[in-house]
Amino acid sequence: MSRLYQPSDYVVSKSRLPSFEQYKEMHKRSLEDPEAFWSEIAKEFYWQTPAEPGNFVSYNFDINKGKVFTKWLDGAVTNVCFNLLDRNVRNGHGDKIAYYWEGNHPDDYSRITYRKLKDLVCQCANGLRERGVTKGDRVSIYMPMILETVVVMLACSRIGAVHSVVFAGFSSDSLAERMSDCKAKMLVTADGAWRGEKLLMLKKICDEAIDKAEKKHGHKVETCLVVKHVDRVTPCGQLQEYTTWDDERDVWWQELIDEQSTICSPEWMAAEDPLFMLYTSGSTGKPKGVLHTTAGYLLYATTTFRYVFDYQDKDVYWCTADVGWITGHTYVVYAPLANAATSVLFEGTPFYPENDRYWSLIDKYKVSQFYTAPTALRSLMKFGDEYVKRHSLQSLRVLGSVGEPINPEAWLWYRQLVGGGRCSVADTFWQTETGGHVLTSLPGATPMKPGAAGFPFFGVEPALLDEGGQLITGEGEGYLVFARPWPGLMRTLYGDHQRYEQVYFSKFPGYYCTGDGARRDEDGFLWVTGRVDDMLNVSGHLMSTAEVEGVLTEEPRVAEAAVVSRPHPIKGEALYCFITTTDGAHFDQSLVDALKKLVRARIGAFAVPDTIQYAPGLPKTRSGKIMRRILRKIALNDTDIGDTSTLADPAVVEQLFKNRP
Ligand code: ATP
Ligand code: MG
């Protein structure tokens, strides 16, 4: 039995949706009459041609009945950028701050209003057009967390170009592969960026990537647009000696954009025209080029942001995700702007100049909604409570979590210490593919349990299936699937609709299959238990990695735990655990014994791990997720580890192979 937490009176008193009953009623309404539900929100936006009544949604999820497809608001015509900027300026938000930008160094910061942002986006859009970018063209973006990144994404959407952001931590090989896969006409980057004390040579990596795209994949990038960013704060010509400059191909942002007109007519887009594409994190294998379209994504991003973060007019919202991930797309760029929100955009790391940078920024900007990942929380918990306690954090009301199941220990630390026991925690389950949150708690409405993603968002109909495709009703655990589309669901994988159907719709015809497992408990809460491939079966007991890891991290000496299975002649599978320790703690036999005892007490004797290995670090994707498929190989001492292009630090893997007990 896990503890139930109710939203505090403080959160409820401010909430737009202050009761569980109201949530249930709205959710029911959203499923019974999707058209009535979503057209209410569509009314807020500007439509060149509105959707026709009766034609709001059509889809086929059953691969046996023909091509899988989803359409929302078919026939409607609009422009997302126009709705995010021009509409808000017209509605009196022109002088409102869209972003507080905070640079890597605390002395480097700025702010931008909605009006100014609109002007910059128009200038940028005109610049893109000047370089021949038109509707339907793909533009790759490899940028640090700076305002120009938001500007160029929106400029693409203004002229109907499809942006493909690649996280600026990927290698030149990964960038080359992604640019070639989508046949990008243009690449947008910056000269470089500081992250903490490390200087990233972005233009240099881009030079290599453009070269590799041509030589390895036969794809030529026509233009490379470069923001002078580092040069602004460190004008030492430091980067010049590392970069080449091709006068035909390369152009400085400041030279192309600054003199452009601030008037730019938007390209009117059909509801189902592509808005952007984005490659998944690659935790499970080769990344997939997920494609999102115009109208449905706009409605869904807007609505989830409003209810999940309970954003109100004077609030300041901060999502720490990099724009290179879907969280950055939906909840740094599109959703906050659609709601005329004020956000913080942060370039740096939580550890620079000190380990309290996040907490100090929350106080500096009086942040009311803070949205981050469990991996960040765990790495900050490691330093102890001191850094948090230095700051007031009184402005906070809602705390969000995304990316992985959050272990209860981290959840409690987040709520109690960071949130002062007063804030609601929204554990948001979603995927690149889902466009926005699909399972979550809602701050003033739903009760919470540490580690549970909670309940379906409006328009979302989850189901649990067993291996044979039978519905699990009531309590139970199985494959997490969705029985119908919500407006934000991806429409295809770029250039590969067959892979789309095969990956998401072939296992259980009639359902969108997430690839994750979930459990429904006695109170109807949904617990995402991790990827189905990561499930463990020990002596006939089915367990999730999240469950065991949650127990291991209860031990104060453990900072992070990752659990995989290894074949075992008697038990079928045996547990193999990797442990990183908190600052100052030692990994020794007493810790191993304590952990075994803890698992026995919490789960049962059958779950006691066979092997507990010390890990100085864990193999993670560049978005910070543990790559358990690589850990399984280490457990087996099998060095054939497959695609590692998304791995953040390959040295960790070598180390772990060496450390095997
Ligand atoms: P790939 O699909 O390429 O292997 P990925 O699945 O890690 O990469 P994302 O789309 O960024 O790429 O991540 C979505 C996945 O992250 C989900 O399928 C789920 O496994 C996990 N996830 C995200 N948020 C949560 C959450 N709140 N609770 C549990 N799991 C989560
Ligand atoms: Mg995935």
Side-chain angles (χ1 to χ4, degrees):
M1 267 292 285
S2 51
R3 276 165 67 193
L4 197 73
Y5 291 78
Q6 295 295 341
S8 69
D9 292 345
Y10 172 69
V11 169
V12 173
S13 72
K14 296 225 161 200
S15 178
R16 69 175 77 240
L17 194 71
S19 84
F20 198 26
E21 287 316 309
Q22 252 174 294
Y23 155 74
K24 287 192 234 174
E25 185 277 319
M26 254 178 97
H27 183 254
K28 189 159 162 263
R29 198 149 46 83
S30 72
L31 295 187
E32 282 170 358
D33 192 349
E35 173 154 349
F37 187 88
W38 294 107
S39 59
E40 204 46 47
I41 293 143
K43 270 189 212 148
E44 296 173 22
F45 292 110
Y46 174 79
W47 304 92
Q48 182 83 344
T49 311
E52 267 174 44
N55 203 13
F56 228 73
V57 53
S58 56
Y59 69 98
N60 172 41
F61 268 16
D62 190 342
I63 198 169
N64 299 326
K65 292 193 178 139
K67 187 177 164 182
V68 176
F69 75 93
T70 295
K71 287 180 183 171
W72 283 88
L73 288 84
D74 202 20
V77 175
T78 189
N79 179 280
V80 170
C81 173
F82 184 88
N83 275 298
L84 268 42
L85 301 177
D86 308 55
R87 183 186 60 104
N88 280 330
V89 171
R90 285 180 189 183
N91 288 346
H93 299 299
D95 294 324
K96 192 170 178 185
I97 306 279
Y99 292 100
Y100 290 106
W101 180 75
E102 171 89 9
N104 181 60
H105 194 280
D107 289 342
D108 193 15
Y109 54 88
S110 66
R111 55 178 65 183
I112 190 167
T113 62
Y114 273 84
R115 182 173 298 106
K116 181 77 185 163
L117 185 59
K118 170 175 162 289
D119 289 350
L120 287 181
V121 167
C122 286
Q123 287 186 305
C124 180
N126 286 327
L128 298 188
R129 278 185 174 153
E130 189 182 310
R131 295 295 287 206
V133 178
T134 58
K135 182 175 173 180
D137 286 341
R138 273 82 53 216
V139 173
S140 290
I141 298 177
Y142 188 78
M143 294 272 268
M145 289 285 281
I146 58 179
L147 289 168
E148 287 86 347
T149 312
V150 179
V151 169
V152 73
M153 287 166 77
L154 297 176
C156 286
S157 94
R158 193 165 192 92
I159 64 174
V162 180
H163 59 71
S164 167
V165 182
V166 178
F167 173 60
F170 275 117
S171 64
S172 58
D173 283 305
S174 303
L175 176 59
E177 194 187 323
R178 286 164 177 73
M179 285 194 299
S180 309
D181 185 67
C182 75
K183 308 232 167 1
K185 191 167 199 170
M186 183 188 258
L187 170 61
V188 186
T189 189
D191 51 357
W194 288 98
R195 263 187 85 71
E197 285 168 347
K198 203 167 127 198
L199 178 61
L200 308 174
M201 315 268 197
L202 300 181
K203 173 64 165 66
K204 179 173 181 267
I205 296 169
C206 287
D207 288 345
E208 290 167 12
I210 291 173
D211 195 48
K212 285 176 185 165
E214 194 162 351
K215 296 210 173 102
K216 272 172 60 183
H217 308 278
H219 173 69
K220 192 166 155 56
V221 176
E222 289 174 21
T223 300
C224 182
L225 175 60
V226 191
V227 178
K228 217 172 259 184
H229 174 59
V230 164
D231 194 63
R232 197 182 41 96
V233 282
T234 344
C236 53
Q238 207 175 345
L239 291 166
Q240 260 78 333
E241 59 185 286
Y242 298 100
T243 48
T244 53
W245 195 265
D246 177 336
D247 283 329
E248 289 267 291
R249 183 195 72 197
D250 298 344
V251 55
W252 287 109
W253 175 288
Q254 281 78 355
E255 283 166 22
L256 178 69
I257 309 292
D258 286 1
E259 299 302 313
Q260 299 283 347
S261 157
T262 55
I263 294 166
C264 172
S265 59
E267 186 78 44
W268 297 111
M269 306 291 283
E272 287 299 336
D273 276 340
L275 178 62
F276 67 80
M277 55 181 297
L278 178 66
Y279 293 90
T280 57
S281 306
S283 310
T284 52
K286 193 175 172 325
K288 304 170 277 279
V290 167
L291 187 86
H292 285 287
T293 57
T294 299
Y297 177 82
L298 175 64
L299 293 191
Y300 199 68
T302 306
T303 314
T304 47
F305 180 83
R306 191 172 297 171
Y307 287 97
V308 174
F309 299 118
D310 213 345
Y311 185 87
Q312 320 262 346
D313 194 31
K314 298 253 160 13
D315 288 346
V316 176
Y317 159 89
W318 179 20
C319 167
T320 68
D322 192 280
V323 284
W325 314 119
I326 187 66
T327 308
H329 281 60
T330 306
Y331 299 110
V332 173
V333 181
Y334 288 102
L337 295 176
N339 283 281
T342 296
S343 308
V344 174
L345 183 72
F346 176 44
E347 180 186 26
T349 90
F351 319 112
Y352 178 82
E354 277 201 79
N355 294 327
D356 65 343
R357 188 72 184 278
Y358 276 0
W359 322 126
S360 91
L361 288 185
I362 289 172
D363 276 6
K364 175 173 176 185
Y365 294 108
K366 305 270 176 298
V367 171
S368 30
Q369 286 87 357
F370 180 65
Y371 191 27
T372 197
T375 175
L377 293 173
R378 286 192 297 263
S379 65
L380 291 166
M381 284 168 76
K382 215 158 63 170
F383 304 119
D385 299 352
E386 250 330 281
Y387 289 100
V388 185
K389 288 185 178 154
R390 283 186 199 167
H391 303 276
S392 128
L393 308 183
Q394 280 300 316
S395 55
L396 289 171
R397 201 168 76 239
V398 180
L399 302 171
S401 171
V402 60
E404 287 181 291
I406 180 167
N407 51 311
E409 201 64 21
W411 193 100
L412 287 167
W413 186 82
Y414 201 22
R415 175 170 160 108
Q416 298 312 125
L417 193 72
V418 179
R422 157 191 89 247
C423 300
S424 281
V425 177
D427 178 359
T428 60
F429 167 83
W430 60 300
Q431 308 175 296
T432 309
E433 294 89 337
T434 67
H437 310 137
V438 283
L439 302 180
T440 179
S441 37
L442 297 177
T446 64
M448 295 158 272
K449 290 187 186 182
F455 304 94
F457 190 73
F458 306 130
V460 173
E461 188 186 349
L464 301 181
L465 302 181
D466 67 16
E467 189 61 47
Q470 292 301 309
L471 266 178
I472 300 167
T473 52
E475 281 177 62
E477 183 164 346
Y479 289 85
L480 175 63
V481 299
F482 295 102
R484 59 162 95 190
W486 55 95
L489 177 68
M490 67 164 162
R491 303 300 196 256
T492 191
L493 291 179
Y494 185 81
D496 200 349
H497 199 69
Q498 210 182 338
R499 186 173 179 210
Y500 173 74
E501 293 184 331
Q502 190 260 320
V503 173
Y504 305 102
F505 295 95
S506 64
K507 190 169 172 72
F508 301 113
Y511 295 96
Y512 165 79
C513 186
T514 60
D516 288 300
R519 176 165 66 83
R520 192 185 293 109
D521 73 12
E522 66 280 10
D523 301 315
F525 283 72
L526 287 166
W527 299 70
V528 176
T529 49
R531 296 161 203 283
V532 208
D533 307 341
D534 292 340
M535 294 293 287
L536 314 163
N537 191 336
V538 180
S539 309
H541 297 271
L542 205 59
M543 274 174 289
S544 71
T545 50
E547 187 181 0
V548 187
E549 288 160 9
V551 170
L552 294 171
T553 46
E554 278 179 30
E555 158 64 47
R557 283 171 285 178
V558 174
E560 204 157 24
V563 178
V564 296
S565 75
R566 187 169 64 166
H568 186 280
I570 297 154
K571 302 192 232 182
E573 289 178 294
L575 295 188
Y576 194 114
C577 309
F578 296 84
I579 300 291
T580 70
T581 49
T582 46
D583 253 17
H586 290 290
F587 184 91
D588 53 20
Q589 195 55 42
S590 84
L591 177 57
V592 171
D593 295 343
L595 289 174
K596 289 189 173 175
K597 212 169 134 198
L598 195 62
V599 174
R600 183 188 303 268
R602 289 277 190 284
I603 306 178
F606 61 89
V608 172
D610 278 35
T611 317
I612 298 181
Q613 172 175 348
Y614 171 65
L618 293 169
K620 290 187 180 178
T621 60
R622 287 164 208 263
S623 55
K625 296 184 208 200
I626 299 168
M627 292 173 87
R628 291 185 187 75
R629 71 180 163 88
I630 292 184
L631 293 174
R632 273 196 294 272
K633 294 284 188 177
I634 295 168
L636 285 170
N637 208 9
D638 173 358
T639 49
D640 178 21
I641 57 176
D643 185 288
T644 53
S645 64
T646 58
L647 188 64
D649 179 9
V652 166
V653 177
E654 259 168 64
Q655 189 69 41
L656 290 177
F657 269 112
K658 249 189 256 156
N659 279 5
R660 292 180 79 260

